[in-house]
Every structure is written in C-alpha cells, then in structure tokens.
Amino acid sequence: MRFRCIILDDSPSLTAILARHATLYTDRLAILKLRLAALKSKKCKAGPESDSLCPEVFLNVVADKLAYTSSMFVNIELLDQFFYQFPREIDSRLLYDLDRNEIVEFARENPAIRRHLDLQDRKDKLEEVCPISTRTLPLC
C-alpha cells in the first residue's frame, strides 16, 4: 500500500514527524507479517501438543487474561465505589442542602408517597377541626 501525503508546510519538524510515523507503520507491518507467518506455519497447525511452540496461542491467553482483569477492575473497583458513594451523596444533598418545603416537594414526585402525604394532610386538618378528646365519640 502506498499512502500519499500532502505537506502544506515544508518545515523540517513536520517532515521528521511524518518520517517517524512512516517508520513506525513499517515496523508494525513487519511485526504483523511475522505473526501471520507464524500462524500459518506447520508448528501452529500441528495441534494441541505444539501449542507451546506457537507464540500466538500464548499472546491470546495473555490478551484474554488482561481483558478479564481489566473488566474485573472496572466492575469491582469503579462500580463498587459508585454504588457506595451514590446513595450517600443523595442523602447528604437531601438532608443538608434542602429545607423542609423542598424535601416535601421532592417526596411528592413519587406518586405513592404523594398519596400518602395527601392522606396525612387530610388527617391533620380533620384533627384540627375535630380534636379527638375521647375515643368513644365517633363524630364531633
């Protein structure tokens, strides 16, 4: 493959950077060709008894182990910290940053809690109008 590059600036630093990239790509291509040749060799195709002679098998095992370890790190370390910190952050914001009216307004966003708060308000208003002095009187 040939790549064409348009150089807008003839500065030596840009040319050096492009040359460095070209050599890196050439080296990477040589490594990939070597790995492909190793995979196509008779030693790798001989079967499970020749796995130790094939470098790709070892590299696949290492890559799988690294992927597993990194996913476990994400699951255990980062998500565990999030699940530990998130409820505490909500509690601290609800308890310390809001006043009584804002807490009630936040609670009313949940329909079940809103119905319960409405029922509690009606009960409080009834008790104001008709104070319960004795349990034997059903009405005021």
Side-chain angles (χ1 to χ4, degrees):
M1 264 192 220
R2 291 187 180 195
F3 295 101
R4 292 185 182 182
C5 182
I6 298 173
I7 300 176
L8 299 176
D9 186 12
D10 290 334
S11 66
S13 63
L14 181 62
T15 307
I17 291 171
L18 291 174
R20 188 176 304 133
H21 283 288
T23 56
L24 288 174
Y25 291 140
T26 305
D27 292 343
R28 180 70 180 147
L29 182 63
I31 290 170
L32 288 174
K33 284 182 179 178
L34 181 68
R35 289 175 67 184
L36 183 62
L39 279 174
K40 291 182 178 180
S41 70
K42 290 182 181 179
K43 290 181 181 179
C44 281
K45 292 183 179 181
E49 63 273 354
S50 66
D51 283 347
S52 62
L53 301 174
C54 185
E56 284 297 317
V57 173
F58 175 73
L59 291 175
N60 284 338
V61 169
V62 170
D64 289 344
K65 183 65 177 174
L66 284 174
Y68 176 77
T69 303
S70 64
S71 69
M72 290 303 292
F73 170 77
V74 167
N75 286 336
I76 293 172
E77 295 295 326
L78 300 178
L79 291 178
D80 185 52
Q81 182 180 8
F82 171 75
F83 287 132
Y84 177 79
Q85 190 64 28
F86 185 68
R88 283 152 186 80
E89 183 71 24
I90 289 177
D91 287 345
S92 69
R93 286 187 184 185
L94 284 178
L95 293 177
Y96 301 115
D97 292 343
L98 301 177
D99 63 355
R100 174 90 174 133
N101 293 333
E102 290 172 336
I103 291 174
V104 170
E105 182 181 329
F106 175 75
R108 285 187 177 276
E109 291 178 5
N110 186 336
I113 294 176
R114 183 184 322 126
R115 285 191 302 268
H116 182 74
L117 289 174
D118 291 341
L119 182 65
Q120 188 68 34
D121 287 340
R122 288 187 355 213
K123 179 185 170 212
D124 291 342
K125 289 175 184 175
L126 276 174
E127 285 181 355
E128 284 179 20
V129 173
C130 179
I132 300 175
S133 59
T134 61
R135 291 272 184 199
T136 58
L137 297 174
L139 298 173
C140 293

